[in-house]
Amino acid sequence: MAATIVDPPAWCGITSLHGGWPVTVCVSDERARLADQVQYDAGEGPCLEAMWSGAVVDVDDDEAARWWGRYHDHAREAGIHSMLSIPLEGVDRRSVGALNLYGERPNAFTGADIQRAEWCARDATRTVAHWLRKAGEAEVRKGLEGAVITRTLVEEAMGILMAQHHWDAPRAFGWLRHLSGNDARRLHEVASDVIREATRRPPVLQAPFGLHRRW
């Protein structure tokens, strides 16, 4: 519902905090999952800002460049020109996550759009609170490990492409994203193919240093 408040529809994801970790619990478009994950890895971006500050964050890509340089590179490559993050607050006013919208048009979200997104966020808060009560540690840990493994594979594949073609990091990542069609699951597969072709062996599908907080 939140994704359709603008035309064309935004990419929407809902982030929750569990054990101090940000986790994307659902998306309307897999590109939103990737946009969320890049912020978690970089430790910066509108999603994390909304959760930390408890304030609505509505920015375009130029503002993102001033505030979050590392994240802005991904947003620009992904064709994201507007970002809206609504904090989700529990009954004790503590942050439990954020509703994140990514638009392909500059200044995509009007005041009326933000109000509708806030209505959606209120409904999402109840759903996330229920999920937090029901989700077991094993389930959450499995999701986190999957996200770390995907990011590890992508970074390894980027390093290979940069060495082979003398590319910089944004160009290497952009090439992977182009082949994957901006699909987070497909990005995992494309990165694995690059590693397999370069090393003549399957990639190592494990987080080599375990899980550590980075923000």
Side-chain angles (χ1 to χ4, degrees), residues 62-80:
D62 288 336
E63 292 170 312
R66 291 197 297 270
W67 295 345
W68 314 295
R70 288 173 294 175
Y71 175 66
H72 171 256
D73 291 340
H74 164 76
R76 181 181 57 192
E77 289 287 338
I80 298 171

Side-chain angles (χ1 to χ4, degrees), residues 149-161 172-173 175-180 183-199 201-205:
I149 288 170
T150 294
R151 191 63 183 173
T152 300
L153 291 175
V154 169
E155 290 177 346
E156 184 175 347
M158 286 173 57
I160 290 171
L161 293 172
F173 185 54
W175 189 85
L176 291 172
R177 283 186 42 259
H178 172 72
L179 290 184
S180 68
D183 185 292
R185 294 191 179 96
R186 175 62 181 156
L187 184 65
H188 178 289
E189 297 170 2
V190 169
S192 296
D193 290 343
V194 169
I195 296 168
R196 187 177 294 107
E197 182 177 346
T199 63
R201 66 188 65 177
V204 178
L205 299 179

Side-chain angles (χ1 to χ4, degrees), residues 40-214:
Y40 307 157
D41 292 338
E44 63 176 24
C47 166
L48 300 182
E49 182 66 29
M51 288 194 294
W52 289 336
S53 68
V56 173
V57 177
D58 176 25
V59 296
D60 60 21
D61 53 353
D62 288 336
E63 292 170 312
R66 291 197 297 270
W67 295 345
W68 314 295
R70 288 173 294 175
Y71 175 66
H72 171 256
D73 291 340
H74 164 76
R76 181 181 57 192
E77 289 287 338
I80 298 171
H81 295 290
S82 297
M83 290 149 270
L84 174 64
S85 291
I86 311 291
L88 307 181
E89 294 184 340
V91 293
D92 56 359
R93 305 294 294 174
R94 288 189 301 177
S95 175
V96 297
L99 174 72
N100 308 308
L101 294 166
Y102 304 99
E104 297 177 87
R105 291 188 295 106
N107 303 309
F109 306 107
T110 65
D113 294 331
I114 294 173
Q115 185 177 53
R116 286 193 289 270
E118 289 176 329
W119 293 340
C120 293
R122 283 196 287 270
D123 289 336
T125 299
R126 291 192 289 269
T127 303
V128 168
H130 177 74
W131 177 80
L132 288 172
R133 288 194 298 269
K134 297 295 185 181
E137 290 295 332
E139 176 187 348
V140 175
R141 182 175 178 84
K142 181 179 179 181
L144 289 170
E145 288 177 345
V148 171
I149 288 170
T150 294
R151 191 63 183 173
T152 300
L153 291 175
V154 169
E155 290 177 346
E156 184 175 347
M158 286 173 57
I160 290 171
L161 293 172
M162 291 166 67
Q164 289 178 339
H165 304 288
H166 305 290
W167 290 346
D168 58 16
R171 184 174 181 183
F173 185 54
W175 189 85
L176 291 172
R177 283 186 42 259
H178 172 72
L179 290 184
S180 68
N182 271 334
D183 185 292
R185 294 191 179 96
R186 175 62 181 156
L187 184 65
H188 178 289
E189 297 170 2
V190 169
S192 296
D193 290 343
V194 169
I195 296 168
R196 187 177 294 107
E197 182 177 346
T199 63
R200 306 301 181 189
R201 66 188 65 177
V204 178
L205 299 179
Q206 63 181 11
F209 305 111
L211 293 172
H212 302 285
R213 297 186 190 188
R214 294 186 59 188

